[in-house]
Amino acid sequence: MKDFSWECRTKVRFGQGCVREYLAEFVKEFALPGRNIMIGYGGGSVKRNGSYDDVVSVLGSLGYSRDGDAGEGRMIVEFPGIMSNPTLRRMKEGAELASLMDVGLIIGIGGGSVMDCCKAISVQAAYPGDAWEDFWMKGLPMKHDIIPCGVVVTMPATGSEVNGCAVLTNEETKIKCDRDYPEMNPLFALMDPVYTLSMPERQLKAGTFDIFSHIMETYFSRPLGDNPADDVSEGLMRGLVRDFRKAAADPEDMTARSNIMWTASLAENRIIKTGKSKDFQAHNMEHQLSAYTDCNHGEGLAVLHPAYYRHICGDGLYKFARFAENVWGLSPDDYEETDDLALAGIDALADFIKEMGLPSTLRELGFGNEERALLPEIAESCFISEGAFRQLTHEEILEIYEECW
Ligand code: NZQ
Ligand code: ZN
């Protein structure tokens, strides 16, 4: 096991009605006194699933009034229109608004895109320099006091609610880049599984696979030996397969919905990363596909994972065989060689992706000849992971993309 330090400062309240029950106490605890509160959200789903109304009603009861009808008191500053795969430009617009409106607490309501954008706004709005250049590009230490930020989750996927990661796309340089600073962990996360009931089926599939991917990206990383974090990961992966099947069969199954929502957080609150190097090469490859084509994150990962794992299977054979046995229930007795067992585990993963109804090829992801012609440039732009069983070259990344065609 690698040496590690672990912390997760986010205070989580999980369950039906949690916003109405706990938001007020978090506002009293974290909002900077005398200043306004910004609520950030996306394209409007929050207004259909009750989360927006719940937040505004609690803030109203604390004396915050909505933009436009503000009197002497403090205001709710609305920042809607945070798109999926949030752009650097939109983040900067949010930061300018937060500075202009003297915001002392930011609440992101939505999925990973909204949460990431709001977390980044909280950093940029309190920073005199260019946060993208200094933190996302150069990775400098974050020493300034950022604006307090909390989140209300409406879609389980990224685990952004319990980590310090925020992913932004610089649409000019075509770089999609994540950074994880403990300072960026939300101060609080309110997780009401009822909000997730309005998610389209497509997002349930994509989000669930993103969670599965986060677990695999950590599980399949050095060191190869046994580790309690990997034991937990196997349980989370088995549970996710079970809960996805139940939620797909009955979208109103609140137990399955709640389990998926909390699994997203358990995959990303850094517990399963303890003692591990973390790979995230599949994520790096997907992020650049997304930077160039704006494809869906979970769907892009579904296309890439099996092909990537067939490339590195021999470099982490022990763990791939354990995955086949402990996640997919395959028996070593049925295979002559460990390689065969390991590859059968990857086949089981590919079968599950098909069963979920996710794309398995770039064409199914919506790529045409125009996008195909970009693949060499996209491959060249990918970050190479240092935590992988074996580091890829840009040439091999292009091979993987081509195999996914
Ligand atoms: O825009 P709205 O109206 O909110 O609709 C969203 C969006 O269209 C919709 N949605 C969310 N909750 C809903 C709902 N629709 C109906 N009912 C609900 N309850 O779902 C769509 C997708 O939302 P989005 O936030 O984009 O999805 P996701 O949570 O998958 O986030 C993706 C972004 O997070 C980044 C990805 O790269 C991508 O930019 N990631 C962030 C990570 C992190 N912070 O740790 C790690 C991940 O690996 C990932 O890279
Ligand atoms: Zn992800």
PDB file of all heavy atoms in Angstrom, residues 19 50 143 191 196 236 272 289:
ATOM      1  N   VAL A  19     -33.095  19.029   2.147  1.00  0.00           N
ATOM      2  CA  VAL A  19     -32.843  20.456   1.897  1.00  0.00           C
ATOM      3  C   VAL A  19     -33.673  21.305   2.858  1.00  0.00           C
ATOM      4  O   VAL A  19     -33.158  22.213   3.518  1.00  0.00           O
ATOM      5  CB  VAL A  19     -33.156  20.817   0.424  1.00  0.00           C
ATOM      6  CG1 VAL A  19     -33.136  22.331   0.224  1.00  0.00           C
ATOM      7  CG2 VAL A  19     -32.144  20.145  -0.505  1.00  0.00           C
ATOM      8  N   GLY A  50     -38.181  19.928  -8.063  1.00  0.00           N
ATOM      9  CA  GLY A  50     -38.441  20.403  -6.702  1.00  0.00           C
ATOM     10  C   GLY A  50     -37.234  20.981  -5.996  1.00  0.00           C
ATOM     11  O   GLY A  50     -37.365  21.665  -4.980  1.00  0.00           O
ATOM     12  N   LYS A 143      -3.782  29.124  -1.939  1.00  0.00           N
ATOM     13  CA  LYS A 143      -3.553  29.709  -0.610  1.00  0.00           C
ATOM     14  C   LYS A 143      -4.578  30.769  -0.244  1.00  0.00           C
ATOM     15  O   LYS A 143      -4.586  31.239   0.888  1.00  0.00           O
ATOM     16  CB  LYS A 143      -2.149  30.333  -0.563  1.00  0.00           C
ATOM     17  CG  LYS A 143      -1.042  29.288  -0.594  1.00  0.00           C
ATOM     18  CD  LYS A 143       0.315  29.934  -0.489  1.00  0.00           C
ATOM     19  CE  LYS A 143       1.408  28.889  -0.551  1.00  0.00           C
ATOM     20  NZ  LYS A 143       2.676  29.441  -1.009  1.00  0.00           N
ATOM     21  N   MET A 191     -28.323  15.696  -0.268  1.00  0.00           N
ATOM     22  CA  MET A 191     -28.579  14.643  -1.254  1.00  0.00           C
ATOM     23  C   MET A 191     -29.956  14.028  -1.014  1.00  0.00           C
ATOM     24  O   MET A 191     -30.112  13.191  -0.126  1.00  0.00           O
ATOM     25  CB  MET A 191     -27.488  13.573  -1.159  1.00  0.00           C
ATOM     26  CG  MET A 191     -26.080  14.173  -1.308  1.00  0.00           C
ATOM     27  SD  MET A 191     -24.758  12.973  -1.156  1.00  0.00           S
ATOM     28  CE  MET A 191     -25.060  11.900  -2.541  1.00  0.00           C
ATOM     29  N   THR A 196     -33.746  12.777  -8.008  1.00  0.00           N
ATOM     30  CA  THR A 196     -33.182  12.025  -9.146  1.00  0.00           C
ATOM     31  C   THR A 196     -34.274  11.343  -9.975  1.00  0.00           C
ATOM     32  O   THR A 196     -33.996  10.858 -11.064  1.00  0.00           O
ATOM     33  CB  THR A 196     -32.175  10.947  -8.680  1.00  0.00           C
ATOM     34  OG1 THR A 196     -32.886   9.864  -8.042  1.00  0.00           O
ATOM     35  CG2 THR A 196     -31.150  11.503  -7.707  1.00  0.00           C
ATOM     36  N   LEU A 236     -18.613  -2.331  -3.913  1.00  0.00           N
ATOM     37  CA  LEU A 236     -19.339  -1.219  -4.552  1.00  0.00           C
ATOM     38  C   LEU A 236     -19.703  -1.568  -5.991  1.00  0.00           C
ATOM     39  O   LEU A 236     -20.800  -1.261  -6.459  1.00  0.00           O
ATOM     40  CB  LEU A 236     -18.486   0.058  -4.525  1.00  0.00           C
ATOM     41  CG  LEU A 236     -18.243   0.693  -3.152  1.00  0.00           C
ATOM     42  CD1 LEU A 236     -17.327   1.911  -3.284  1.00  0.00           C
ATOM     43  CD2 LEU A 236     -19.551   1.109  -2.488  1.00  0.00           C
ATOM     44  N   ILE A 272     -11.800   4.961  -1.319  1.00  0.00           N
ATOM     45  CA  ILE A 272     -11.264   3.831  -2.100  1.00  0.00           C
ATOM     46  C   ILE A 272      -9.958   4.191  -2.811  1.00  0.00           C
ATOM     47  O   ILE A 272      -9.366   3.361  -3.490  1.00  0.00           O
ATOM     48  CB  ILE A 272     -12.291   3.284  -3.129  1.00  0.00           C
ATOM     49  CG1 ILE A 272     -12.664   4.327  -4.179  1.00  0.00           C
ATOM     50  CG2 ILE A 272     -13.517   2.722  -2.441  1.00  0.00           C
ATOM     51  CD1 ILE A 272     -13.381   3.733  -5.400  1.00  0.00           C
ATOM     52  N   LEU A 289     -11.871  13.618 -25.848  1.00  0.00           N
ATOM     53  CA  LEU A 289     -12.960  13.402 -26.821  1.00  0.00           C
ATOM     54  C   LEU A 289     -14.047  14.448 -26.590  1.00  0.00           C
ATOM     55  O   LEU A 289     -14.593  15.037 -27.517  1.00  0.00           O
ATOM     56  CB  LEU A 289     -13.571  12.004 -26.667  1.00  0.00           C
ATOM     57  CG  LEU A 289     -12.737  10.798 -27.094  1.00  0.00           C
ATOM     58  CD1 LEU A 289     -13.531   9.512 -26.844  1.00  0.00           C
ATOM     59  CD2 LEU A 289     -12.340  10.878 -28.567  1.00  0.00           C
TER      60      LEU A 289
END
